[in-house]
Amino acid sequence: MEVKGDDYKVWYDPSEFTIYCQGALRLAGLEEYEPIVQILEYVIDKSPQNINLDLVQLEFLNSSGISVLSKFVIKVRHKEKIKITVKGSEIVPWQSKSLKNLQRLMPNLKLNWI
């Protein structure tokens, strides 16, 4: 599963249970994020024991995208058997602030920084 735009790419690798996001997500509103939401919900529906969300190469994410990630984490939280690990980069300014907020939504969410 993959969604591509001019300056971003989001895909799921089922062999690693990993969702990768790279580039700059500046989509206008939640409607434009719908194809990405479909990937996230597909992964949740598969109910793997662990989900990895690799954001290391995601240089920019606007407020609509942060909202999409927050809703994703809340849905994972409701599936009590799924654990989630988010991999981020401390040198990407938006990540150091926003990813910590995801832990507030799901305290057992694991953050890995590189």
Side-chain angles (χ1 to χ4, degrees), residues 37 40 44-45 49 51-52 75 81 93 95-96 98:
V37 169
L40 299 175
I44 291 172
D45 289 344
Q49 285 186 322
I51 296 174
N52 301 301
K75 286 181 180 182
K81 295 180 181 179
Q95 291 187 20
S96 59
S98 299

Side-chain angles (χ1 to χ4, degrees), residues 9-58:
K9 181 178 170 184
V10 177
W11 73 99
Y12 175 59
D13 181 344
S15 67
E16 300 176 353
F17 303 107
T18 301
I19 302 161
Y20 292 93
C21 302
Q22 70 180 34
L25 279 166
R26 295 181 171 95
L27 304 177
L30 296 176
E31 290 114 25
E32 287 192 23
Y33 276 95
E34 187 57 32
I36 295 169
V37 169
Q38 288 177 3
I39 290 175
L40 299 175
E41 289 183 354
Y42 170 84
V43 175
I44 291 172
D45 289 344
K46 292 294 176 190
S47 294
Q49 285 186 322
N50 298 296
I51 296 174
N52 301 301
L53 181 60
D54 189 327
L55 305 174
V56 172
Q57 295 182 37
L58 189 60

Side-chain angles (χ1 to χ4, degrees), residues 49-71:
Q49 285 186 322
N50 298 296
I51 296 174
N52 301 301
L53 181 60
D54 189 327
L55 305 174
V56 172
Q57 295 182 37
L58 189 60
E59 298 159 9
F60 181 81
L61 184 66
N62 64 8
S63 59
S64 294
I66 291 171
S67 177
V68 166
L69 282 186
S70 297
K71 289 177 183 180

